[in-house]
Amino acid sequence: DVQLVESGGGSVQAGGSLRLSCAVSVSSANDYCLGWFRQASGKEREWVGSIGTDGTTRYADFVKGRFAISKDNAKNGNTLYLQMNSLKPEDTAMYYCAALWRGLAGGSCPVVAAQYNYWGQGTQVTVS
């Protein structure tokens, strides 16, 4: 079964940085679209960015130039990262990683949360 476990959240001052990690327990992370979403209190979950099976990254306009997604397919496990720089108070939210199996199909990763099959439990980011 696919399991996703986020870590790295916390409190930071505006202008600061955080790096979120997501341990992805799959045999081959390259077969999956891996995405980051966030949900602020009282708001709907929104797409932050994603990395496709070919390593292509895409970002929501509100994080372009500030956030970066990467992944590490190490022998002892797969990890998805979200490096967040120049954080703003409006970035405060619960951050989730998500996975969608693509296999050989490839293609762009969806930006709609409902299209992802697997989710982590989330990690809180608070910017003040």
Side-chain angles (χ1 to χ4, degrees):
D1 196 18
V2 176
Q3 291 191 326
L4 307 172
V5 180
E6 302 96 335
S7 61
S11 296
V12 64
Q13 291 190 333
S17 298
L18 279 176
R19 188 176 81 157
L20 306 184
S21 299
C22 174
V24 183
S25 65
V26 296
S27 57
S28 175
N30 289 338
D31 287 339
Y32 290 78
C33 273
L34 299 173
W36 286 99
F37 288 77
R38 70 185 188 184
Q39 187 166 17
S41 181
K43 295 188 176 180
E44 292 193 353
R45 193 167 297 190
E46 62 181 355
W47 176 71
V48 173
S50 57
I51 184 165
T53 57
D54 61 355
T56 300
T57 53
R58 296 169 63 205
Y59 301 94
D61 287 344
F62 55 79
V63 301
K64 277 182 182 176
R66 299 190 299 125
F67 291 11
I69 293 173
S70 61
K71 65 180 178 180
D72 180 10
N73 298 333
K75 196 173 184 179
N76 58 348
N78 307 292
T79 306
L80 176 71
Y81 298 101
L82 179 65
Q83 177 66 46
M84 305 186 294
N85 301 321
S86 303
L87 282 162
K88 306 175 182 180
E90 52 263 44
D91 293 318
T92 294
M94 185 73 79
Y95 283 72
Y96 299 88
C97 59
L100 169 65
W101 188 82
R102 283 293 206 189
L104 296 176
S108 298
C109 293
V111 302
V112 176
Q115 292 185 269
Y116 285 79
N117 305 104
Y118 307 101
W119 292 87
Q121 82 289 351
T123 186
Q124 178 68 38
V125 171
T126 303
V127 185
S128 60

